[in-house]
Amino acid sequence: MHIHRTPDQIAADRQRYLDFQRAGMEAKTLPQPSPRPAPEASNARLTETVPGGWYTTLHLKAGELLRLVPGGASTVSLAAWALPDTTERLCLPDTVKLQWTTDLTKGRVIFSDMGRVMLSLVEDSSGAHDVLTGGSTPETVADYTGDARRNTRDNMLLAAAKLGLDRRDIPAVLNLFAPVRVDAEGRFTWRPAMLAAGDWVDLRAEMDLCLALSNCRHPLDPDASEVPPDLSVICLPARPIAADDLCRTATAEARRGFENNARLQGAF
Amino acid sequence: METVHDIPARAPWSGIIRKGQTLRIEDTYGQQAIDTLFYNAIDHAERYSSQDTLRAQGAAYVTTGTAIMSNLGRVMLRVTADSAGRHDTSAGCCSCESNTVRFGHDTRFQHACRENFIVELARHGMTKRDIVPNLNFFMNVPISPNGAMTVDDGISSPGDHLELVAEMDVLCVISNCPQINNPCNGFDPTPCRVIIRG
């Protein structure tokens, strides 16, 4: 029942882990946040306005950029699936564990459950994103309105359905523009000072994807009773990727993730 | 009534806990991560949600008093006793694929929790797409105010246990973690025990 490992094996494994940990937690210094506001997008192949409380779905080709610009205080919840195999999907536990941090900022990447990079955070003005606490639900919306208006849980179900998926396919969602942090006692705090007018992100698709986006206030947002503003969704064409591309070279983990992408996709 | 299930080192297990029954999970040798998933026993599309659980609790770790929430926002079980202190639900399970990213491509062909989950879920008609971010009982994953996150040495001692009371009929699926690249189980996978009472 107990498969014995020798003290020497354990000591060697521990040393190896400590080496990975040291390298991972002392990763190359990430850059300053992107300046606000987002640059003009003159060559977009798609621009869309998602009203507060609503959702949208879209497809991205590998290399294309997804620019998200909330019109003010709102959170954008995101789920993503690989094409053509949608059983490969956003995996936030791996995303944070593999990068030794729950803070996703410019220069970080977002992993699938297959050890591949789905998206790169190539531009990001705030660094205020939440991987831990999920989106709004009928209950959290009803808590303040007495009425289960549009909410992220139902938006994700609707979006998944329109992509040919169902409840079983909905992963834990990434909340962009949600300044949730963990205090020294392990409790969640909401830090609105991390956000500012004009915040934006550019996510680069690192494989062909379909995505669901929900534009709802976050349940931990103390001003969640206010109606969310419109969200601008802009798809930009692929650009050449430099050999020293930040997201592809920032960490050893990201490099190995992109090696996994290349293994199935051919050279990139 | 009481049933006792000993889960060998590195092995999977699954069983039904009826509403009102108590699930006791024992870390027999100490420092063993026990990766766990819950499903509504009659509707597998309702399943454990780490994000709903953390948000409902307002804190990043699971311990006594935590309501284990489903993806439909319902309470599946409640943690009524915990001798270890806290448990992780942010770091997910290990997989052959994530091992390659975290520990190098030479670790790809090591048995992992996701292999256990796929095999055990298949017995219940489920597939990889049914694997969601799981609970890691007895796994020590502190998250710092600056966001830093690391798997640290386990804090559980031999015989540490927790108890959960089911509020609906649940299917419990366990992978007794085989990971040997991080200290979640002291680099030395050991057996654990599950007891269902009531």
Side-chain angles (χ1 to χ4, degrees), chain A residues 1 5 14 16-17 21 87 97 100 102-103 113-114 131 133-135 137 153 167-169 173 182 186 188 253 256 259-260 263, chain B residues 9 51-52 55 58-60 71-73 91 93 100-101 103 105 108 114 128-130 145-147 149-151 153 180-182 187:
Chain A
M1 296 264 286
R5 305 195 77 234
R14 177 176 292 281
R16 188 162 178 266
Y17 177 75
Q21 184 183 46
T87 71
K97 180 171 58 180
W100 309 85
T102 58
D103 283 9
D113 65 311
M114 293 294 285
V131 299
T133 66
T137 70
R153 180 188 294 155
R167 195 188 300 288
R168 295 195 299 155
D169 297 298
V173 297
V182 178
F188 295 123
E253 287 82 3
R256 289 194 289 269
E259 286 163 11
N260 285 340
R263 184 179 152 265
Chain B
Q51 293 188 326
D52 285 278
R55 190 181 61 248
N71 60 336
L72 301 184
C93 69
T100 67
V101 175
F103 303 117
H105 295 291
R108 180 169 161 215
R114 194 160 71 141
K128 176 174 92 75
R129 68 193 276 236
D130 295 290
N146 71 0
M149 177 190 188
T150 182
V151 179
D153 284 314
I180 53 168
N181 295 289
N182 78 45
F187 306 93

Short mmCIF file of all heavy atoms in Angstrom, two decimals, chain A residues 1 5 14 16-17 21 87 97 100 102-103 113-114 131 133-135 137 153 167-169 173 182 186 188 253 256 259-260 263, chain B residues 9 51-52 55 58-60 71-73 91 93 100-101 103 105 108 114 128-130 145-147 149-151 153 180-182 187:
data_model
loop_
_atom_site.label_atom_id
_atom_site.label_comp_id
_atom_site.label_asym_id
_atom_site.label_seq_id
_atom_site.Cartn_x
_atom_site.Cartn_y
_atom_site.Cartn_z
N MET A 1 0.84 -1.21 0.00
CA MET A 1 0.00 0.00 0.00
C MET A 1 0.86 1.25 0.00
O MET A 1 0.61 2.19 -0.72
CB MET A 1 -0.89 0.01 1.26
CG MET A 1 -1.86 -1.12 1.29
SD MET A 1 -3.46 -0.64 0.66
CE MET A 1 -4.09 0.36 1.97
N ARG A 5 9.74 5.27 -0.77
CA ARG A 5 10.76 6.03 -1.48
C ARG A 5 11.91 6.26 -0.51
O ARG A 5 11.69 6.54 0.67
CB ARG A 5 10.19 7.35 -2.01
CG ARG A 5 8.95 7.13 -2.87
CD ARG A 5 8.58 8.36 -3.68
NE ARG A 5 9.45 8.52 -4.82
CZ ARG A 5 10.14 9.63 -5.08
NH1 ARG A 5 10.06 10.66 -4.28
NH2 ARG A 5 10.92 9.70 -6.16
N ARG A 14 13.27 16.98 -3.35
CA ARG A 14 13.05 18.24 -2.64
C ARG A 14 13.98 19.33 -3.16
O ARG A 14 13.57 20.47 -3.40
CB ARG A 14 13.27 18.05 -1.13
CG ARG A 14 13.13 19.34 -0.33
CD ARG A 14 13.24 19.09 1.16
NE ARG A 14 12.12 18.33 1.69
CZ ARG A 14 10.92 18.85 1.97
NH1 ARG A 14 10.70 20.14 1.76
NH2 ARG A 14 9.95 18.10 2.43
N ARG A 16 15.30 19.54 -6.05
CA ARG A 16 14.86 19.91 -7.41
C ARG A 16 13.67 20.87 -7.32
O ARG A 16 13.59 21.86 -8.05
CB ARG A 16 14.49 18.62 -8.16
CG ARG A 16 14.18 18.78 -9.62
CD ARG A 16 14.27 17.41 -10.32
NE ARG A 16 13.93 17.53 -11.72
CZ ARG A 16 12.70 17.32 -12.19
NH1 ARG A 16 11.72 17.00 -11.37
NH2 ARG A 16 12.46 17.45 -13.48
N TYR A 17 12.73 20.56 -6.42
CA TYR A 17 11.56 21.43 -6.27
C TYR A 17 11.99 22.82 -5.81
O TYR A 17 11.52 23.83 -6.34
CB TYR A 17 10.58 20.84 -5.26
CG TYR A 17 9.38 21.74 -5.02
CD1 TYR A 17 8.36 21.85 -5.97
CD2 TYR A 17 9.26 22.50 -3.87
CE1 TYR A 17 7.27 22.68 -5.77
CE2 TYR A 17 8.17 23.33 -3.65
CZ TYR A 17 7.18 23.42 -4.61
OH TYR A 17 6.10 24.24 -4.41
N GLN A 21 11.20 26.27 -7.58
CA GLN A 21 10.45 27.28 -6.84
C GLN A 21 11.21 28.61 -6.84
O GLN A 21 10.64 29.68 -7.09
CB GLN A 21 10.23 26.80 -5.41
CG GLN A 21 9.38 27.73 -4.56
CD GLN A 21 9.25 27.22 -3.14
OE1 GLN A 21 10.23 26.83 -2.51
NE2 GLN A 21 8.05 27.20 -2.63
N THR A 87 -12.88 20.02 -25.50
CA THR A 87 -12.60 19.46 -24.17
C THR A 87 -11.33 20.07 -23.59
O THR A 87 -11.06 19.93 -22.41
CB THR A 87 -12.46 17.92 -24.18
OG1 THR A 87 -11.24 17.54 -24.82
CG2 THR A 87 -13.65 17.26 -24.86
N LYS A 97 -0.82 27.97 -10.59
CA LYS A 97 0.18 27.07 -10.00
C LYS A 97 1.46 27.07 -10.83
O LYS A 97 2.56 27.13 -10.29
CB LYS A 97 -0.42 25.66 -9.91
CG LYS A 97 0.49 24.62 -9.31
CD LYS A 97 -0.27 23.31 -9.07
CE LYS A 97 -0.88 22.75 -10.35
NZ LYS A 97 -1.61 21.49 -10.12
N TRP A 100 3.34 30.32 -10.29
CA TRP A 100 3.68 30.62 -8.90
C TRP A 100 3.04 31.90 -8.42
O TRP A 100 3.56 32.58 -7.54
CB TRP A 100 5.20 30.68 -8.71
CG TRP A 100 5.95 29.51 -9.24
CD1 TRP A 100 6.38 29.32 -10.52
CD2 TRP A 100 6.37 28.34 -8.52
NE1 TRP A 100 7.03 28.12 -10.64
CE2 TRP A 100 7.05 27.50 -9.43
CE3 TRP A 100 6.26 27.93 -7.19
CZ2 TRP A 100 7.59 26.26 -9.06
CZ3 TRP A 100 6.80 26.71 -6.82
CH2 TRP A 100 7.45 25.90 -7.74
N THR A 102 -1.03 34.16 -8.15
CA THR A 102 -2.43 34.36 -8.54
C THR A 102 -2.62 35.69 -9.25
O THR A 102 -3.71 35.98 -9.71
CB THR A 102 -3.35 34.34 -7.30
OG1 THR A 102 -2.92 35.35 -6.39
CG2 THR A 102 -3.30 32.99 -6.60
N ASP A 103 -1.58 36.51 -9.31
CA ASP A 103 -1.69 37.82 -9.94
C ASP A 103 -1.32 37.70 -11.42
O ASP A 103 -0.15 37.51 -11.76
CB ASP A 103 -0.74 38.82 -9.27
CG ASP A 103 -1.30 39.31 -7.96
OD1 ASP A 103 -2.31 38.75 -7.50
OD2 ASP A 103 -0.73 40.25 -7.41
N ASP A 113 -6.02 23.11 -19.82
CA ASP A 113 -5.83 21.93 -18.98
C ASP A 113 -4.86 20.93 -19.61
O ASP A 113 -4.55 19.91 -18.99
CB ASP A 113 -7.18 21.24 -18.72
CG ASP A 113 -7.79 20.67 -19.99
OD1 ASP A 113 -7.86 21.40 -20.99
OD2 ASP A 113 -8.20 19.49 -19.98
N MET A 114 -4.38 21.20 -20.82
CA MET A 114 -3.45 20.29 -21.49
C MET A 114 -2.02 20.82 -21.50
O MET A 114 -1.20 20.42 -22.33
CB MET A 114 -3.93 20.04 -22.93
CG MET A 114 -5.24 19.26 -23.00
SD MET A 114 -5.11 17.57 -22.39
CE MET A 114 -4.24 16.79 -23.76
N VAL A 131 -8.67 35.34 -10.22
CA VAL A 131 -8.80 33.96 -10.68
C VAL A 131 -9.57 33.10 -9.67
O VAL A 131 -9.89 31.96 -9.96
CB VAL A 131 -7.42 33.32 -10.93
CG1 VAL A 131 -6.66 34.06 -12.00
CG2 VAL A 131 -6.60 33.25 -9.64
N THR A 133 -12.50 33.80 -7.39
CA THR A 133 -13.83 33.88 -6.77
C THR A 133 -15.00 33.86 -7.74
O THR A 133 -16.15 33.91 -7.29
CB THR A 133 -13.95 35.15 -5.88
OG1 THR A 133 -13.88 36.32 -6.70
CG2 THR A 133 -12.84 35.19 -4.84
N GLY A 134 -14.76 33.77 -9.03
CA GLY A 134 -15.87 33.55 -9.96
C GLY A 134 -16.74 34.77 -10.17
O GLY A 134 -16.51 35.85 -9.60
N GLY A 135 -17.76 34.61 -11.01
CA GLY A 135 -18.61 35.73 -11.39
C GLY A 135 -19.90 35.78 -10.59
O GLY A 135 -20.13 34.99 -9.66
N THR A 137 -23.93 35.52 -9.71
CA THR A 137 -24.90 34.44 -9.85
C THR A 137 -26.29 35.02 -9.62
O THR A 137 -26.41 36.16 -9.15
CB THR A 137 -24.65 33.36 -8.78
OG1 THR A 137 -25.01 33.89 -7.50
CG2 THR A 137 -23.19 32.92 -8.75
N ARG A 153 -23.20 33.65 -14.15
CA ARG A 153 -23.41 32.20 -14.23
C ARG A 153 -24.37 31.84 -15.37
O ARG A 153 -24.10 30.95 -16.17
CB ARG A 153 -23.96 31.64 -12.91
CG ARG A 153 -24.17 30.12 -13.01
CD ARG A 153 -24.89 29.56 -11.81
NE ARG A 153 -24.08 29.68 -10.62
CZ ARG A 153 -24.58 29.72 -9.40
NH1 ARG A 153 -25.88 29.68 -9.21
NH2 ARG A 153 -23.77 29.81 -8.36
N ARG A 167 -23.48 23.00 -19.60
CA ARG A 167 -23.03 23.33 -18.25
C ARG A 167 -21.75 22.60 -17.86
O ARG A 167 -20.91 23.13 -17.15
CB ARG A 167 -24.16 22.98 -17.27
CG ARG A 167 -24.01 23.58 -15.90
CD ARG A 167 -25.04 23.04 -14.91
NE ARG A 167 -26.42 23.29 -15.27
CZ ARG A 167 -27.02 24.48 -15.21
NH1 ARG A 167 -26.34 25.53 -14.83
NH2 ARG A 167 -28.28 24.61 -15.54
N ARG A 168 -21.62 21.36 -18.34
CA ARG A 168 -20.45 20.56 -17.95
C ARG A 168 -19.16 21.13 -18.53
O ARG A 168 -18.07 20.76 -18.08
CB ARG A 168 -20.61 19.11 -18.44
CG ARG A 168 -21.76 18.35 -17.80
CD ARG A 168 -21.60 16.87 -18.05
NE ARG A 168 -21.62 16.54 -19.47
CZ ARG A 168 -21.07 15.46 -20.00
NH1 ARG A 168 -20.42 14.60 -19.23
NH2 ARG A 168 -21.15 15.23 -21.28
N ASP A 169 -19.28 21.96 -19.56
CA ASP A 169 -18.08 22.48 -20.24
C ASP A 169 -17.60 23.81 -19.68
O ASP A 169 -16.56 24.30 -20.12
CB ASP A 169 -18.39 22.65 -21.73
CG ASP A 169 -18.72 21.34 -22.39
OD1 ASP A 169 -17.85 20.47 -22.41
OD2 ASP A 169 -19.86 21.17 -22.86
N VAL A 173 -14.05 30.67 -14.24
CA VAL A 173 -13.89 31.80 -15.14
C VAL A 173 -12.84 32.77 -14.62
O VAL A 173 -12.66 32.95 -13.41
CB VAL A 173 -15.22 32.55 -15.37
CG1 VAL A 173 -16.23 31.64 -16.04
CG2 VAL A 173 -15.79 33.13 -14.07
N VAL A 182 -5.96 38.60 -1.57
CA VAL A 182 -6.08 37.83 -0.34
C VAL A 182 -5.25 38.52 0.74
O VAL A 182 -4.08 38.83 0.50
CB VAL A 182 -5.55 36.40 -0.57
CG1 VAL A 182 -5.62 35.58 0.71
CG2 VAL A 182 -6.35 35.70 -1.68
N GLY A 186 -5.98 35.43 4.91
CA GLY A 186 -6.59 34.57 3.90
C GLY A 186 -7.95 35.03 3.43
O GLY A 186 -8.60 34.33 2.66
N PHE A 188 -10.65 37.56 1.42
CA PHE A 188 -10.65 38.33 0.18
C PHE A 188 -10.92 39.80 0.47
O PHE A 188 -11.75 40.14 1.32
CB PHE A 188 -11.70 37.81 -0.79
CG PHE A 188 -11.43 36.41 -1.25
CD1 PHE A 188 -12.36 35.40 -1.07
CD2 PHE A 188 -10.23 36.08 -1.87
CE1 PHE A 188 -12.09 34.10 -1.48
CE2 PHE A 188 -9.95 34.79 -2.28
CZ PHE A 188 -10.89 33.80 -2.09
N GLU A 253 8.53 28.40 -17.29
CA GLU A 253 7.25 27.69 -17.40
C GLU A 253 6.54 28.10 -18.69
O GLU A 253 5.98 27.25 -19.39
CB GLU A 253 6.38 28.00 -16.17
CG GLU A 253 6.84 27.32 -14.89
CD GLU A 253 7.97 28.06 -14.18
OE1 GLU A 253 8.37 29.15 -14.65
OE2 GLU A 253 8.45 27.54 -13.15
N ARG A 256 8.18 26.38 -21.64
CA ARG A 256 7.80 24.96 -21.78
C ARG A 256 6.35 24.82 -22.24
O ARG A 256 6.01 23.89 -22.98
CB ARG A 256 8.04 24.23 -20.45
CG ARG A 256 9.52 24.03 -20.14
CD ARG A 256 9.75 23.03 -19.02
NE ARG A 256 9.37 23.53 -17.72
CZ ARG A 256 10.20 24.18 -16.88
NH1 ARG A 256 11.45 24.40 -17.22
NH2 ARG A 256 9.76 24.59 -15.71
N GLU A 259 6.37 25.27 -25.85
CA GLU A 259 6.89 24.04 -26.49
C GLU A 259 5.79 23.00 -26.64
O GLU A 259 5.73 22.28 -27.64
CB GLU A 259 8.07 23.50 -25.68
CG GLU A 259 9.35 24.32 -25.84
CD GLU A 259 10.39 24.07 -24.76
OE1 GLU A 259 10.24 23.11 -23.98
OE2 GLU A 259 11.34 24.87 -24.70
N ASN A 260 4.90 22.95 -25.65
CA ASN A 260 3.76 22.03 -25.77
C ASN A 260 2.82 22.47 -26.89
O ASN A 260 2.26 21.65 -27.62
CB ASN A 260 3.00 21.93 -24.45
CG ASN A 260 3.73 21.11 -23.41
OD1 ASN A 260 4.61 20.31 -23.75
ND2 ASN A 260 3.38 21.29 -22.15
N ARG A 263 4.36 21.38 -30.13
CA ARG A 263 4.37 19.93 -30.33
C ARG A 263 3.12 19.48 -31.11
O ARG A 263 3.21 18.63 -31.99
CB ARG A 263 4.42 19.23 -28.98
CG ARG A 263 4.54 17.75 -29.07
CD ARG A 263 4.60 17.11 -27.69
NE ARG A 263 4.05 15.76 -27.80
CZ ARG A 263 2.80 15.45 -27.55
NH1 ARG A 263 1.97 16.36 -27.11
NH2 ARG A 263 2.37 14.22 -27.73
N ALA B 9 -1.68 4.20 -1.66
CA ALA B 9 -0.89 5.30 -2.19
C ALA B 9 -1.06 5.36 -3.71
O ALA B 9 -1.04 4.33 -4.39
CB ALA B 9 0.58 5.11 -1.84
N GLN B 51 -14.80 28.17 -7.07
CA GLN B 51 -15.01 29.62 -7.04
C GLN B 51 -16.22 29.99 -6.19
O GLN B 51 -16.17 30.93 -5.40
CB GLN B 51 -15.15 30.17 -8.46
CG GLN B 51 -13.83 30.06 -9.26
CD GLN B 51 -13.88 30.76 -10.60
OE1 GLN B 51 -14.92 30.80 -11.26
NE2 GLN B 51 -12.76 31.32 -11.02
N ASP B 52 -17.32 29.24 -6.34
CA ASP B 52 -18.50 29.53 -5.50
C ASP B 52 -18.20 29.25 -4.03
O ASP B 52 -18.66 29.97 -3.14
CB ASP B 52 -19.69 28.70 -5.98
CG ASP B 52 -20.28 29.24 -7.27
OD1 ASP B 52 -21.07 30.19 -7.21
OD2 ASP B 52 -19.91 28.74 -8.35
N ARG B 55 -15.90 32.11 -2.70
CA ARG B 55 -16.63 33.38 -2.58
C ARG B 55 -17.65 33.32 -1.44
O ARG B 55 -17.80 34.26 -0.67
CB ARG B 55 -17.32 33.74 -3.90
CG ARG B 55 -17.87 35.15 -3.88
CD ARG B 55 -18.58 35.50 -5.17
NE ARG B 55 -19.71 34.63 -5.40
CZ ARG B 55 -19.77 33.73 -6.37
NH1 ARG B 55 -18.78 33.59 -7.22
NH2 ARG B 55 -20.83 32.96 -6.52
N GLY B 58 -15.75 33.75 1.63
CA GLY B 58 -15.01 35.01 1.76
C GLY B 58 -13.56 34.83 2.09
O GLY B 58 -12.88 35.77 2.48
N ALA B 59 -13.05 33.62 1.92
CA ALA B 59 -11.65 33.35 2.27
C ALA B 59 -11.08 32.28 1.35
O ALA B 59 -11.82 31.51 0.73
CB ALA B 59 -11.54 32.92 3.73
N ALA B 60 -9.74 32.24 1.30
CA ALA B 60 -9.05 31.47 0.27
C ALA B 60 -8.78 30.01 0.64
O ALA B 60 -8.22 29.27 -0.17
CB ALA B 60 -7.73 32.15 -0.08
N ASN B 71 -21.82 24.23 -8.61
CA ASN B 71 -21.85 25.22 -9.69
C ASN B 71 -23.24 25.83 -9.85
O ASN B 71 -23.41 26.77 -10.62
CB ASN B 71 -21.38 24.59 -11.00
CG ASN B 71 -22.24 23.42 -11.43
OD1 ASN B 71 -22.89 22.76 -10.60
ND2 ASN B 71 -22.25 23.12 -12.72
N LEU B 72 -24.23 25.31 -9.15
CA LEU B 72 -25.55 25.91 -9.15
C LEU B 72 -25.80 26.72 -7.88
O LEU B 72 -26.93 27.11 -7.58
CB LEU B 72 -26.63 24.83 -9.31
CG LEU B 72 -26.53 23.98 -10.58
CD1 LEU B 72 -27.71 23.02 -10.68
CD2 LEU B 72 -26.47 24.87 -11.81
N GLY B 73 -24.74 26.91 -7.08
CA GLY B 73 -24.86 27.75 -5.90
C GLY B 73 -25.54 27.06 -4.73
O GLY B 73 -25.99 27.73 -3.80
N ALA B 91 -5.27 25.27 -6.31
CA ALA B 91 -4.13 24.79 -7.10
C ALA B 91 -4.46 23.61 -8.01
O ALA B 91 -3.61 23.17 -8.78
CB ALA B 91 -2.97 24.41 -6.18
N CYS B 93 -5.49 19.82 -9.58
CA CYS B 93 -4.83 18.52 -9.47
C CYS B 93 -3.62 18.48 -10.40
O CYS B 93 -3.54 19.25 -11.36
CB CYS B 93 -5.81 17.40 -9.82
SG CYS B 93 -6.28 17.31 -11.54
N THR B 100 4.78 18.74 -17.19
CA THR B 100 5.81 19.09 -18.19
C THR B 100 6.16 20.57 -18.11
O THR B 100 7.31 20.96 -18.29
CB THR B 100 5.37 18.78 -19.63
OG1 THR B 100 4.27 19.63 -20.02
CG2 THR B 100 4.98 17.32 -19.80
N VAL B 101 5.13 21.40 -17.83
CA VAL B 101 5.36 22.84 -17.77
C VAL B 101 6.07 23.20 -16.47
O VAL B 101 6.98 24.03 -16.45
CB VAL B 101 4.02 23.59 -17.87
CG1 VAL B 101 4.22 25.09 -17.69
CG2 VAL B 101 3.34 23.31 -19.21
N PHE B 103 7.70 21.08 -14.19
CA PHE B 103 8.90 20.36 -13.74
C PHE B 103 9.75 19.83 -14.89
O PHE B 103 10.69 19.07 -14.66
CB PHE B 103 8.49 19.20 -12.83
CG PHE B 103 7.69 19.63 -11.64
CD1 PHE B 103 6.39 19.19 -11.48
CD2 PHE B 103 8.22 20.49 -10.69
CE1 PHE B 103 5.64 19.59 -10.39
CE2 PHE B 103 7.48 20.89 -9.60
CZ PHE B 103 6.18 20.44 -9.43
N HIS B 105 9.90 18.53 -19.32
CA HIS B 105 9.25 17.55 -20.19
C HIS B 105 9.60 16.11 -19.80
O HIS B 105 8.89 15.17 -20.17
CB HIS B 105 9.61 17.82 -21.65
CG HIS B 105 9.08 19.15 -22.14
ND1 HIS B 105 7.74 19.39 -22.33
CD2 HIS B 105 9.71 20.30 -22.45
CE1 HIS B 105 7.57 20.64 -22.75
NE2 HIS B 105 8.76 21.21 -22.83
N ARG B 108 6.84 13.89 -18.04
CA ARG B 108 5.55 13.69 -18.69
C ARG B 108 4.93 12.32 -18.40
O ARG B 108 3.72 12.19 -18.23
CB ARG B 108 5.70 13.87 -20.21
CG ARG B 108 4.39 13.68 -20.95
CD ARG B 108 4.48 14.12 -22.39
NE ARG B 108 3.40 13.54 -23.17
CZ ARG B 108 3.51 13.17 -24.43
NH1 ARG B 108 4.66 13.31 -25.06
NH2 ARG B 108 2.49 12.66 -25.06
N ARG B 114 -4.80 13.63 -12.51
CA ARG B 114 -5.80 13.68 -13.59
C ARG B 114 -5.98 12.32 -14.25
O ARG B 114 -7.08 11.98 -14.69
CB ARG B 114 -5.46 14.75 -14.63
CG ARG B 114 -6.67 15.02 -15.53
CD ARG B 114 -6.59 16.34 -16.23
NE ARG B 114 -5.57 16.31 -17.26
CZ ARG B 114 -5.69 16.88 -18.45
NH1 ARG B 114 -6.79 17.54 -18.76
NH2 ARG B 114 -4.72 16.83 -19.31
N LYS B 128 -13.01 13.56 -19.28
CA LYS B 128 -12.13 14.67 -18.92
C LYS B 128 -12.88 16.00 -18.79
O LYS B 128 -12.54 16.83 -17.95
CB LYS B 128 -11.02 14.79 -19.98
CG LYS B 128 -10.09 15.96 -19.80
CD LYS B 128 -8.94 15.92 -20.81
CE LYS B 128 -9.23 16.68 -22.09
NZ LYS B 128 -9.15 18.14 -21.93
N ARG B 129 -13.91 16.18 -19.60
CA ARG B 129 -14.61 17.47 -19.55
C ARG B 129 -15.36 17.66 -18.23
O ARG B 129 -15.78 18.76 -17.91
CB ARG B 129 -15.56 17.62 -20.75
CG ARG B 129 -16.74 16.71 -20.75
CD ARG B 129 -17.44 16.69 -22.11
NE ARG B 129 -18.39 17.77 -22.29
CZ ARG B 129 -19.68 17.60 -22.61
NH1 ARG B 129 -20.18 16.38 -22.78
NH2 ARG B 129 -20.47 18.63 -22.79
N ASP B 130 -15.53 16.60 -17.47
CA ASP B 130 -16.21 16.72 -16.18
C ASP B 130 -15.27 17.04 -15.03
O ASP B 130 -15.72 17.21 -13.90
CB ASP B 130 -16.96 15.41 -15.89
CG ASP B 130 -18.08 15.17 -16.89
OD1 ASP B 130 -19.07 15.91 -16.83
OD2 ASP B 130 -17.94 14.28 -17.76
N PRO B 145 -0.49 38.15 0.23
CA PRO B 145 -1.16 39.39 -0.20
C PRO B 145 -0.61 39.92 -1.53
O PRO B 145 -1.32 40.60 -2.27
CB PRO B 145 -0.89 40.35 0.96
CG PRO B 145 -0.80 39.45 2.15
CD PRO B 145 -0.10 38.21 1.65
N ASN B 146 0.65 39.62 -1.86
CA ASN B 146 1.18 40.06 -3.16
C ASN B 146 0.88 39.06 -4.27
O ASN B 146 1.36 39.22 -5.39
CB ASN B 146 2.69 40.33 -3.06
CG ASN B 146 3.50 39.05 -2.92
OD1 ASN B 146 2.95 37.94 -2.89
ND2 ASN B 146 4.81 39.19 -2.83
N GLY B 147 0.09 38.04 -3.97
CA GLY B 147 -0.34 37.09 -5.00
C GLY B 147 0.52 35.86 -5.09
O GLY B 147 0.11 34.87 -5.70
N MET B 149 2.16 32.36 -4.79
CA MET B 149 1.46 31.10 -4.47
C MET B 149 2.44 29.96 -4.67
O MET B 149 3.08 29.85 -5.70
CB MET B 149 0.28 30.95 -5.42
CG MET B 149 -0.48 29.67 -5.26
SD MET B 149 -1.62 29.56 -6.65
CE MET B 149 -2.58 28.15 -6.17
N THR B 150 2.53 29.10 -3.66
CA THR B 150 3.45 27.98 -3.78
C THR B 150 2.90 26.79 -3.00
O THR B 150 2.17 26.97 -2.02
CB THR B 150 4.84 28.36 -3.25
OG1 THR B 150 5.72 27.27 -3.41
CG2 THR B 150 4.79 28.77 -1.79
N VAL B 151 3.20 25.59 -3.46
CA VAL B 151 2.84 24.40 -2.71
C VAL B 151 3.93 24.18 -1.67
O VAL B 151 5.09 23.96 -2.02
CB VAL B 151 2.70 23.18 -3.63
CG1 VAL B 151 2.33 21.94 -2.81
CG2 VAL B 151 1.65 23.43 -4.71
N ASP B 153 5.29 22.47 2.26
CA ASP B 153 5.21 21.21 3.01
C ASP B 153 3.85 21.08 3.67
O ASP B 153 3.32 22.04 4.24
CB ASP B 153 6.29 21.18 4.09
CG ASP B 153 7.66 20.90 3.49
OD1 ASP B 153 7.76 19.98 2.67
OD2 ASP B 153 8.61 21.60 3.85
N ILE B 180 5.26 13.36 -7.11
CA ILE B 180 6.54 13.22 -6.41
C ILE B 180 7.51 14.35 -6.78
O ILE B 180 8.70 14.26 -6.51
CB ILE B 180 7.22 11.86 -6.70
CG1 ILE B 180 7.34 11.63 -8.20
CG2 ILE B 180 6.49 10.73 -6.00
CD1 ILE B 180 8.24 10.47 -8.56
N ASN B 181 6.97 15.42 -7.38
CA ASN B 181 7.82 16.56 -7.73
C ASN B 181 7.63 17.76 -6.83
O ASN B 181 8.34 18.75 -6.96
CB ASN B 181 7.56 16.99 -9.18
CG ASN B 181 7.96 15.92 -10.17
OD1 ASN B 181 9.14 15.66 -10.36
ND2 ASN B 181 6.98 15.27 -10.77
N ASN B 182 6.62 17.72 -5.94
CA ASN B 182 6.47 18.83 -5.01
C ASN B 182 6.09 18.29 -3.63
O ASN B 182 5.72 17.12 -3.49
CB ASN B 182 5.50 19.88 -5.55
CG ASN B 182 4.05 19.51 -5.41
OD1 ASN B 182 3.61 19.03 -4.38
ND2 ASN B 182 3.28 19.73 -6.46
N PHE B 187 6.87 14.22 -1.00
CA PHE B 187 7.56 13.47 -2.06
C PHE B 187 7.46 11.96 -1.84
O PHE B 187 8.25 11.19 -2.37
CB PHE B 187 9.05 13.88 -2.15
CG PHE B 187 9.26 15.36 -2.32
CD1 PHE B 187 9.46 16.18 -1.23
CD2 PHE B 187 9.24 15.93 -3.58
CE1 PHE B 187 9.65 17.55 -1.37
CE2 PHE B 187 9.43 17.30 -3.74
CZ PHE B 187 9.63 18.10 -2.64
#
